[in-house]
Amino acid sequence: MLGLMQDWPLLCHRIIDHAARIHGSQEVVTRSIEGPIVRTTYAEIRSRALRVAQRLDRQGVRLGDRIATIAWNTARHLECWYGIMGIGAICHTVNPRLFPDQIGWIINHAQDRIVITDLTFVPILEKLAANLPSVERYVVLTDKAHMPPTPLKNAIAYEEWIAEVDGEFKWKEFDENTAAAMCYTSGTTGDPKGVLYSHRSNVLHAMMANNGDALGTRAEDTMLPVVPLFHANSWGIAFSAPSMGTKLVMPGAKLDGASVYELMSTEKVSHTAGVPTVWLMLLNHMAANNLKLPHLKMVVCGGSAMPRSMIKAFSDMGIQPRHAWGMTEMSPLGTVSALKPPFMELADEERLDVLQTQGYPPFGVQMKITDDAGKELPWDGKTFGRLKVRGPSVAGAYYRLDTNILDDEGYFDTGDVATIDAHGYMRITDRSKDVIKSGGEWISSIDLENLAVGHPKVAEAAVIGVTHPKWDERPLLIVQLKEGQTATREEILQFMEGKIAKWWMPDDVAFVSAIPHTATGKILKTALRDQFKEYNLPTAAA
Amino acid sequence: MLGLMQDWPLLCHRIIDHAARIHGSQEVVTRSIEGPIVRTTYAEIRSRALRVAQRLDRQGVRLGDRIATIAWNTARHLECWYGIMGIGAICHTVNPRLFPDQIGWIINHAQDRIVITDLTFVPILEKLAANLPSVERYVVLTDKAHMPPTPLKNAIAYEEWIAEVDGEFKWKEFDENTAAAMCYTSGTTGDPKGVLYSHRSNVLHAMMANNGDALGTRAEDTMLPVVPLFHANSWGIAFSAPSMGTKLVMPGAKLDGASVYELMSTEKVSHTAGVPTVWLMLLNHMAANNLKLPHLKMVVCGGSAMPRSMIKAFSDMGIQPRHAWGMTEMSPLGTVSALKPPFMELADEERLDVLQTQGYPPFGVQMKITDDAGKELPWDGKTFGRLKVRGPSVAGAYYRLDTNILDDEGYFDTGDVATIDAHGYMRITDRSKDVIKSGGEWISSIDLENLAVGHPKVAEAAVIGVTHPKWDERPLLIVQLKEGQTATREEILQFMEGKIAKWWMPDDVAFVSAIPHTATGKILKTALRDQFKEYNLPTAAA
């Protein structure tokens, strides 16, 4: 028997309707790409989003068509999100930090019909445009006065473009499982893969994020998302903040410490979200100038692990650091390290231990860890296995890729290796392709690296698995010494001894002049594995 | 084009799965019906709920079958909720405060197969049982030692009943629109009407309730729901608290001030929810004994309007009073009076004005006010009209009642008359059947009553519309004077003059010795309307 409740599809544009109706005068403040700080409201954003929708509709954009945005966090970008989604088209956020070739590949793979871009990215697009046959028109997010001359096809300033319609328009209605947005992941290997969010997944994700142990902003709060709208669905903030009537402060293109600090201070920002690099710049700027942020209550940090010193720095200022973990495929929220009651009373260092985990999932995200055969492993905080996830905001497939990415129980393999403790706190210990598999047991390359860089002479360390006749793989520690330092193999190993299980000890140490990195600063282990493919471990003969 | 996210149905039992897995050691504390305080955990509740499910399944209970509960707030009752819903059966909560005839009517209308009851209600059921042919068995929520001798059909103690299975059982899987629970509304007129909640509506309602401007409890909080599980879906707390890992304190049968205070104090309750009557008892007990509740942060108050003095009393203690409005048909959350930024800085009295409204809706509840013809009225805080609501947790129809209850836009008429201001704050001004329709304009009977009872000689006042040849209806003020007082018509009207619009002034005053009430203490306007049907207003001849 079915229930007798109303059929009310979860549609993204209903969020901006709610914001406009209930929190219509709430401000959205933007550091504009043209320079000045500009202020608007949720009511105004909805009204302009409807113009975007109407203009796209007049252009013949239909349900399922892809519209790309390559843009910073601004009110105009937010208007485009809702305008595109509100007619059932798909808002494809393109990450401008990718290599131009990748940007071109992605736009062609998505077959985007229109590209909406900030002034910043016009030069990149001019170089790519000849090879983007699906694109019919380029809309530049500015007004006529700031519009540059450009050979881009049918280029027009955004303000002129939306002035061509009168705004008398209604959202389209469709099923909540309709695609709403698209975001490509860019792994270190293989082609980028497109995640296709639905209206349902975005709305449910916003509702999950709104609980007080996740992002939990309220109508009285002010959120500055440093995390870009083009990065992993903006961690859902483009939906969660309007759904609560939270004031938004959009930092535009300037993400340096001084600029972010200035906005946080003048706009009395209470909540913010971004990657550790940004917080490092902010903390350095504040320390150098002896500055405070008395209104700041919470810093959500994801993208990569938050260093312990950073967690401590924010905590010491009375600001809650919230470690978050997720991925594009998860919309992206996976876990958040809010403190649960058993840990509220902990003393400083133990408290930091918990805050340094990736946290536990909100209702709506299910996790498990398994061995290579798919067998579930215990939640004891020690055993680590492949981290797999399930939920209404987790990807079930990639766009135009005919591969099953779910296991028999419907779980998606995150590619991370993690432990989970009895309280559900998850700790990433490695990427599954980097973990060292020694005699059927797993050794975390990240744990060994973190230990090795603690040695005063070591600048950077990388650990990879090298083939071993008896154990399959054994760890090789690759070290780049600090400028002017010398050290021996024994010296480094001795430093590590006793701090880890004996069988975790690297079988050898290789010294290199420079450890290779990816464009985004991660250690390029594929290159190291190539370089040390034939490496002969001293233990191999044993 | 559809999105490519996972198909993960929103099912109620996934909430208890989450609570058990992530917050398994979190406590649920109960003042048991047998007497002692008993403690259990979410892990244990899930495990026992699975036994309930397995036992029902063995009994042949299938998808869509109705199972009644007539019980107080206890951990056992909560186990039954999840156990029943987890196999797709329907948990029909019966309100034991109804007249026995109504209880019988409701059980027969629902065709409940099993009745699960507290010891308290065994005598009532024994009187009704002969006329409840659909009921195959009665389960009494106690153990063998406390089981009374009873002629109830196949009666068994709950603990014995669930001990008949081993707990090795899996939840059933089904569509999220499957019916999960059922609750009858009992109006003053007509037969009770059954609201049939779905798994989807309950889960979405919990997610709405979890935002910080609604109920917003967290894993660090402790919630004591005074509102019973049998009243309006327990305001969703049976789902929202476990979904967040919030500790639950269940008050059982004792809802007097001293008992509620004792549990709040010993269990360090931070959040609580219930009707004004309960808070009055609590406040009186605290004042009489000079007691404090330093851990209490928020009191959610619904069911009827919270008096201004009560809002002030809690505020003065540093406790947030949250006025909430809703109805069984809304799962029940409609609006909550959290303070939005424009009102945070208000001085005391103006602040109370906002807190005294019914508040604004969370994302997921849409409101409008209309005139009798269905035309939308402005949100100016003054104009009042019929309040209509829409959303995924709002009823679309009643059980076994073939009547369309939605308007053309899919809105449900709440039967209330309200104003809404520009910020979305809603204020109930009347019931639509009580509002006085004078020359096409509406006059609030409640506003006139509130004004009249301000006169020092008036004990209680009721206002009804009486037929008028020119204006259709005009207000008649019916007054019950305080013991020993005398007053004239002119004296009362003079007191009201200048405090309301001239055309709102009652056309006459009738003095009565006693104003009639319903069983739950509300003014019985139907009786007054009967009594004064032929009343000849002095203005009628004009």
Side-chain angles (χ1 to χ4, degrees):
Chain A
M1 191 187 303
L2 297 186
L4 293 172
M5 307 307 279
Q6 293 186 8
D7 178 23
W8 194 88
L10 306 174
L11 299 173
C12 295
H13 43 284
R14 288 189 163 172
I15 291 177
I16 202 71
D17 283 351
H18 175 79
R21 192 92 204 237
I22 304 295
H23 308 281
S25 58
Q26 182 62 286
E27 281 187 317
V28 176
V29 180
T30 299
R31 186 190 293 282
S32 67
I33 310 308
E34 296 87 347
I37 302 289
V38 292
R39 314 182 86 83
T40 181
T41 62
Y42 280 127
E44 187 65 18
I45 283 182
R46 174 179 181 272
S47 152
R48 286 162 56 91
L50 274 168
R51 282 179 177 266
V52 173
Q54 187 179 17
R55 186 63 192 81
L56 289 169
D57 185 63
R58 182 188 290 184
Q59 187 101 356
V61 172
R62 295 290 171 260
L63 197 81
D65 285 350
R66 277 78 62 206
I67 308 296
T69 68
I70 313 186
W72 302 106
N73 288 8
T74 66
R76 282 182 181 137
H77 194 179
L78 194 62
E79 290 160 15
C80 291
W81 274 44
Y82 283 103
I84 295 165
M85 297 179 198
I87 57 167
I90 298 168
C91 179
H92 172 205
T93 51
V94 178
N95 185 343
R97 292 188 183 134
L98 297 176
F99 296 114
D101 277 3
Q102 281 181 305
I103 294 175
W105 189 95
I106 284 172
I107 291 174
N108 285 326
H109 190 264
Q111 292 284 291
D112 297 320
R113 288 186 58 186
I114 297 177
V115 173
I116 299 174
T117 180
D118 266 330
L119 285 161
T120 323
F121 311 115
V122 168
I124 300 175
L125 287 166
E126 286 175 353
K127 278 181 204 140
L128 291 171
N131 296 314
L132 303 175
S134 67
V135 180
E136 299 160 23
R137 144 159 263 180
Y138 293 81
V139 178
V140 183
L141 290 162
T142 191
D143 53 21
K144 198 176 176 181
H146 293 84
M147 183 71 184
T150 171
L152 286 172
K153 194 168 173 185
N154 295 318
I156 186 170
Y158 175 73
E159 295 296 338
E160 280 193 285
W161 184 61
I162 61 170
E164 290 173 3
V165 289
D166 61 9
E168 291 299 313
F169 192 72
K170 278 188 176 153
W171 305 123
K172 306 275 183 187
E173 301 219 347
F174 35 77
D175 188 276
E176 69 183 28
N177 290 302
T178 301
M182 181 182 239
C183 203
Y184 281 77
T185 62
S186 51
T188 43
T189 55
D191 289 327
K193 294 189 284 287
V195 178
L196 199 60
Y197 305 114
S198 66
H199 282 262
R200 173 183 164 99
S201 70
N202 276 337
V203 171
L204 288 175
H205 183 270
M207 294 176 83
M208 276 185 227
N210 284 340
N211 87 59
D213 288 323
L215 270 66
T217 62
R218 301 174 46 190
E220 66 176 43
D221 295 323
T222 298
M223 163 62 94
L224 188 153
V226 182
V227 53
L229 291 173
F230 59 70
H231 179 79
N233 202 24
S234 79
W235 298 1
I237 294 166
F239 303 113
S240 60
S243 78
M244 291 301 296
T246 301
K247 175 178 164 183
L248 268 175
V249 180
M250 300 297 236
K254 295 198 172 168
L255 306 182
D256 60 286
S259 301
V260 168
Y261 173 81
E262 188 206 11
L263 269 184
M264 283 191 170
S265 179
T266 55
E267 298 298 331
K268 300 188 170 62
V269 167
S270 62
H271 290 65
T272 187
V275 296
T277 323
V278 169
W279 306 136
L280 196 62
M281 292 191 292
L282 176 70
L283 286 170
N284 287 344
H285 176 75
M286 288 174 71
N289 299 280
N290 195 23
L291 300 170
K292 295 207 183 332
L293 285 170
H295 296 93
L296 191 58
K297 291 192 279 190
M298 190 188 295
V299 173
V300 183
C301 185
S304 58
M306 202 178 193
R308 194 175 180 92
S309 57
M310 189 178 284
I311 296 175
K312 188 165 157 36
F314 282 121
S315 295
D316 288 350
M317 288 192 271
I319 298 164
Q320 268 190 71
R322 284 256 170 113
H323 216 184
W325 168 86
M327 53 199 304
T328 302
E329 286 88 339
M330 297 182 75
S331 301
L333 197 61
T335 56
V336 184
S337 70
L339 279 180
K340 288 205 285 182
F343 309 110
M344 305 288 293
E345 315 294 327
L346 287 180
D348 288 357
E349 290 301 319
E350 286 175 307
R351 197 181 170 93
L352 290 179
D353 286 345
V354 181
L355 290 174
Q356 215 179 348
T357 70
Q358 271 67 32
Y360 66 87
F363 170 72
V365 174
Q366 290 181 294
M367 303 189 302
K368 66 176 178 183
I369 44 174
T370 76
D371 63 17
D372 275 340
K375 195 179 138 261
E376 267 206 78
L377 298 171
W379 289 23
D380 57 13
K382 287 176 206 151
T383 310
F384 54 91
R386 289 171 171 274
L387 179 64
K388 298 175 181 176
V389 291
R390 199 169 78 151
S393 304
V394 181
Y398 290 111
Y399 184 59
R400 293 177 57 195
L401 207 61
D402 193 18
T403 317
N404 175 29
I405 60 170
L406 306 184
D407 73 8
D408 291 348
E409 290 181 309
Y411 282 76
F412 168 78
D413 190 329
T414 64
D416 280 319
V417 170
T419 64
I420 308 177
D421 73 13
H423 298 278
Y425 283 88
M426 186 271 288
R427 197 171 66 87
I428 302 281
T429 54
D430 219 334
R431 291 289 297 166
S432 55
K433 61 185 192 308
D434 295 336
V435 78
I436 294 121
K437 294 175 184 177
S438 170
E441 300 287 340
W442 292 6
I443 299 171
S444 161
S445 66
I446 293 177
D447 282 0
L448 294 181
E449 289 160 8
N450 287 344
L451 180 56
V453 293
H455 190 286
K457 291 183 179 175
V458 172
E460 194 165 12
V463 172
I464 58 169
V466 171
T467 311
H468 188 283
K470 181 172 177 192
W471 302 108
D472 292 338
E473 273 185 8
R474 286 296 301 162
L476 169 67
L477 172 61
I478 300 160
V479 164
Q480 177 185 334
L481 291 172
K482 286 184 183 160
E483 191 109 0
Q485 295 287 354
T486 56
T488 61
R489 174 188 186 281
E490 285 68 28
E491 198 177 339
I492 305 287
L493 292 178
Q494 205 170 357
F495 171 80
M496 298 173 78
E497 243 171 39
K499 297 187 178 111
I500 44 170
K502 208 160 185 177
W503 63 275
W504 277 42
M505 284 292 290
D507 280 25
D508 206 0
V509 182
F511 293 91
V512 295
S513 57
I515 285 178
H517 292 97
T518 67
T520 56
K522 291 179 184 172
I523 295 175
L524 197 60
K525 294 209 175 168
T526 46
L528 289 173
R529 274 191 281 266
D530 270 355
Q531 191 182 338
F532 290 93
K533 200 161 52 184
E534 312 286 342
Y535 195 81
N536 201 14
L537 289 170
T539 53
Chain B
M1 190 186 304
L2 297 187
L4 293 172
M5 308 307 279
Q6 293 184 10
D7 178 23
W8 195 88
L10 306 174
L11 299 173
C12 295
H13 43 283
R14 288 188 163 173
I15 290 176
I16 202 69
D17 282 351
H18 175 78
R21 191 92 204 235
I22 304 296
H23 308 282
S25 58
Q26 181 62 285
E27 281 187 318
V28 176
V29 180
T30 300
R31 186 190 293 282
S32 67
I33 310 307
E34 295 87 348
I37 302 290
V38 294
R39 313 183 85 84
T40 180
T41 63
Y42 281 126
E44 187 66 17
I45 283 182
R46 174 178 181 273
S47 152
R48 287 163 55 94
L50 274 167
R51 283 180 177 263
V52 172
Q54 186 179 18
R55 186 62 192 78
L56 289 169
D57 185 63
R58 181 188 291 183
Q59 186 101 355
V61 171
R62 295 290 171 261
L63 197 81
D65 285 350
R66 277 79 60 205
I67 307 297
T69 67
I70 313 185
W72 301 107
N73 288 9
T74 65
R76 282 183 182 138
H77 194 179
L78 194 63
E79 290 160 15
C80 291
W81 274 44
Y82 283 103
I84 295 166
M85 298 180 198
I87 56 166
I90 298 168
C91 179
H92 172 205
T93 51
V94 179
N95 184 343
R97 290 184 184 140
L98 297 176
F99 297 112
D101 277 1
Q102 282 182 305
I103 295 176
W105 189 94
I106 285 173
I107 291 175
N108 284 326
H109 189 264
Q111 293 283 291
D112 296 320
R113 288 187 58 187
I114 296 176
V115 172
I116 299 174
T117 181
D118 266 329
L119 286 161
T120 324
F121 310 115
V122 169
I124 300 175
L125 287 165
E126 286 175 352
K127 278 181 203 139
L128 291 171
N131 296 312
L132 303 175
S134 67
V135 180
E136 299 160 24
R137 146 159 261 180
Y138 293 82
V139 177
V140 183
L141 290 162
T142 192
D143 53 21
K144 198 175 178 182
H146 293 84
M147 183 70 183
T150 171
L152 286 172
K153 195 168 171 184
N154 295 318
I156 187 170
Y158 175 74
E159 295 295 339
E160 279 193 287
W161 185 60
I162 61 171
E164 290 173 5
V165 290
D166 60 9
E168 290 300 312
F169 192 72
K170 278 190 175 151
W171 306 122
K172 305 275 182 186
E173 301 222 346
F174 35 77
D175 187 276
E176 69 184 27
N177 290 302
T178 302
M182 181 181 240
C183 203
Y184 280 77
T185 61
S186 51
T188 43
T189 55
D191 288 328
K193 294 189 284 285
V195 177
L196 198 61
Y197 305 114
S198 66
H199 282 261
R200 172 183 165 100
S201 70
N202 276 338
V203 171
L204 288 175
H205 183 272
M207 294 176 83
M208 277 185 228
N210 284 340
N211 88 59
D213 288 322
L215 271 65
T217 62
R218 301 174 46 191
E220 67 177 40
D221 295 322
T222 298
M223 165 60 94
L224 187 153
V226 182
V227 53
L229 291 174
F230 59 70
H231 178 79
N233 204 23
S234 79
W235 299 0
I237 294 166
F239 303 113
S240 60
S243 77
M244 291 301 297
T246 301
K247 175 179 164 182
L248 268 175
V249 180
M250 301 296 235
K254 295 197 173 169
L255 306 182
D256 60 286
S259 302
V260 168
Y261 173 83
E262 188 207 11
L263 269 183
M264 283 191 171
S265 178
T266 54
E267 298 299 331
K268 300 188 172 63
V269 167
S270 62
H271 290 65
T272 185
V275 296
T277 323
V278 168
W279 306 136
L280 195 63
M281 292 191 292
L282 177 70
L283 287 169
N284 287 344
H285 175 75
M286 288 174 72
N289 299 280
N290 196 22
L291 300 170
K292 295 209 182 332
L293 286 169
H295 296 94
L296 191 59
K297 291 193 279 191
M298 190 188 294
V299 173
V300 183
C301 185
S304 58
M306 201 179 194
R308 195 175 180 93
S309 57
M310 189 178 284
I311 296 176
K312 187 164 156 38
F314 282 122
S315 296
D316 289 351
M317 287 192 272
I319 298 164
Q320 269 191 70
R322 283 256 170 114
H323 215 184
W325 168 86
M327 52 199 303
T328 303
E329 286 90 338
M330 298 183 75
S331 300
L333 198 61
T335 55
V336 185
S337 70
L339 280 180
K340 288 205 287 183
F343 309 110
M344 306 288 292
E345 314 294 327
L346 287 181
D348 287 357
E349 290 301 318
E350 286 174 307
R351 198 181 171 92
L352 290 180
D353 286 346
V354 180
L355 291 174
Q356 215 179 346
T357 69
Q358 271 68 31
Y360 66 88
F363 171 72
V365 175
Q366 291 182 294
M367 302 189 304
K368 66 176 177 182
I369 44 174
T370 77
D371 62 17
D372 274 340
K375 196 179 136 258
E376 266 206 78
L377 297 172
W379 289 23
D380 57 12
K382 286 174 208 153
T383 310
F384 54 90
R386 289 169 172 277
L387 179 64
K388 298 174 181 176
V389 291
R390 199 169 78 154
S393 304
V394 181
Y398 291 110
Y399 183 61
R400 292 178 57 196
L401 206 60
D402 193 17
T403 317
N404 175 29
I405 59 169
L406 306 184
D407 72 8
D408 291 348
E409 289 180 310
Y411 282 76
F412 168 78
D413 190 330
T414 64
D416 280 319
V417 170
T419 64
I420 308 177
D421 73 13
H423 298 279
Y425 284 89
M426 186 271 288
R427 196 172 66 86
I428 302 279
T429 55
D430 219 334
R431 291 291 296 167
S432 56
K433 62 184 189 308
D434 295 335
V435 79
I436 293 120
K437 295 175 183 175
S438 170
E441 301 288 339
W442 292 6
I443 298 171
S444 160
S445 66
I446 293 176
D447 282 1
L448 294 182
E449 288 160 6
N450 287 343
L451 180 55
V453 293
H455 190 289
K457 291 183 178 174
V458 173
E460 192 165 15
V463 173
I464 58 168
V466 171
T467 311
H468 189 283
K470 183 173 176 190
W471 303 108
D472 293 340
E473 272 186 8
R474 287 295 300 162
L476 169 68
L477 171 61
I478 300 161
V479 164
Q480 175 183 337
L481 291 172
K482 286 184 183 159
E483 191 110 357
Q485 295 288 354
T486 57
T488 62
R489 172 187 186 281
E490 286 67 30
E491 199 178 338
I492 304 290
L493 292 178
Q494 205 171 359
F495 171 79
M496 298 174 77
E497 244 172 38
K499 296 184 178 116
I500 44 168
K502 209 161 183 175
W503 64 275
W504 277 44
M505 283 293 290
D507 280 24
D508 206 2
V509 183
F511 294 92
V512 296
S513 56
I515 285 178
H517 292 97
T518 66
T520 55
K522 292 179 183 171
I523 295 175
L524 196 60
K525 293 208 176 170
T526 46
L528 289 174
R529 273 191 283 265
D530 270 354
Q531 190 182 338
F532 289 92
K533 200 160 51 182
E534 311 288 340
Y535 194 81
N536 201 14
L537 288 170
T539 53

